[in-house]
Amino acid sequence: MGAWAGPVTLETPEDIARGHAALCALDPAFGQLAHLTPPLRRRPGGFATLLQAIVGQQVSTASAAAIWARVEAEGLTRAEAVAEAREEGLRAVGFSRPKIRYALALADAGLDFDALATLPDDQAIARLTALPGIGRWTAELYLLSALGRADVLPAGDLALQEAARILYHLDQRPDEKGLRRMAQAWSPWRAVAARYLWDLYRATKQREGTL
């Protein structure tokens, strides 16, 4: 095998459209979603976006948005500011005890975000999940939104699981393992599939599935 040529990334709405066309060839079910125009869902790479993913863990989209608004209002989007805020400052903006620990650990980790962006997906995920409180869902969400990786799908996401159930008219939504297995057929455009599934969830449920 040759040297890794670098990541395929999604940078523009045209990339999403190109990915959708490829997805329809891989799995015609995605042709049912041609009426949707999912957003690019890109965010800047770095500390703030990873902290925002931690905020979104295991809470509703509305709760995550409310907490993140307070984080931004208090200027807690830099590692130095989080470290200085300590437990008291993070508790004041709505962090739970576990998330206080995760945020402080992230602030202290000295993670090289520029180097992270150069790694293949599996290595970048491994680097992130080595940190306290960052599981596969958080790592994959960061790769999808901050790094724009084209072949990443956070299969532990409940909204994605529910959208897959809707798309395929299933009696029950697939669990993480089941969705990951289904998503193998969508490679190398799994991140495009995720965007269309989130948009299907939004259109069907009339609420966002992720922050």
Side-chain angles (χ1 to χ4, degrees), residues 4 7-10 16 23 40-41 119-125 128 135-157 160 179-180 183-184 186-198:
W4 185 56
V8 176
T9 60
L10 304 173
I16 302 297
L23 266 178
L40 190 57
R41 292 186 182 274
L119 296 177
D121 295 344
D122 57 347
Q123 293 181 28
I125 289 169
L128 288 170
R136 190 172 181 91
W137 177 86
T138 304
E140 289 174 329
L141 192 63
Y142 182 84
L143 264 66
L144 184 150
S145 62
L147 303 186
R149 298 298 174 87
D151 200 27
V152 172
L153 182 142
D157 190 276
L160 291 180
L179 182 56
R180 208 171 290 284
Q184 290 175 359
W186 309 332
S187 182
W189 298 103
R190 284 178 282 197
V192 175
R195 286 165 168 84
Y196 272 89
L197 290 172
W198 271 319

Side-chain angles (χ1 to χ4, degrees), residues 12-13 20 35 75 85 106 117 122 175 178 182 198:
T12 67
H20 180 251
H35 62 289
L106 177 61
D122 57 347
D175 60 10
M182 292 168 65
W198 271 319

Side-chain angles (χ1 to χ4, degrees), residues 73-148:
E74 294 299 323
L76 301 179
T77 56
R78 296 177 298 107
E80 300 81 3
V82 169
E84 291 173 6
R86 304 167 64 94
E87 290 188 21
E88 295 81 4
L90 294 174
R91 188 179 300 111
V93 296
F95 278 61
S96 63
R97 182 172 296 179
K99 288 184 183 178
I100 289 171
R101 182 166 65 86
Y102 305 156
L104 291 175
L106 177 61
D108 191 50
L111 187 63
D112 186 338
F113 287 97
D114 290 335
L116 183 73
T118 69
L119 296 177
D121 295 344
D122 57 347
Q123 293 181 28
I125 289 169
R127 182 73 57 87
L128 288 170
T129 55
L131 299 173
I134 297 182
R136 190 172 181 91
W137 177 86
T138 304
E140 289 174 329
L141 192 63
Y142 182 84
L143 264 66
L144 184 150
S145 62
L147 303 186

Side-chain angles (χ1 to χ4, degrees), residues 52-68 94 96 99 137 157-158 208-211:
Q52 188 174 18
I54 290 173
V55 167
Q57 292 172 351
Q58 298 180 325
V59 297
S60 70
T61 305
S63 295
I67 294 170
W68 187 248
S96 63
K99 288 184 183 178
W137 177 86
D157 190 276
L158 295 180
E208 293 291 343
T210 190
L211 183 61

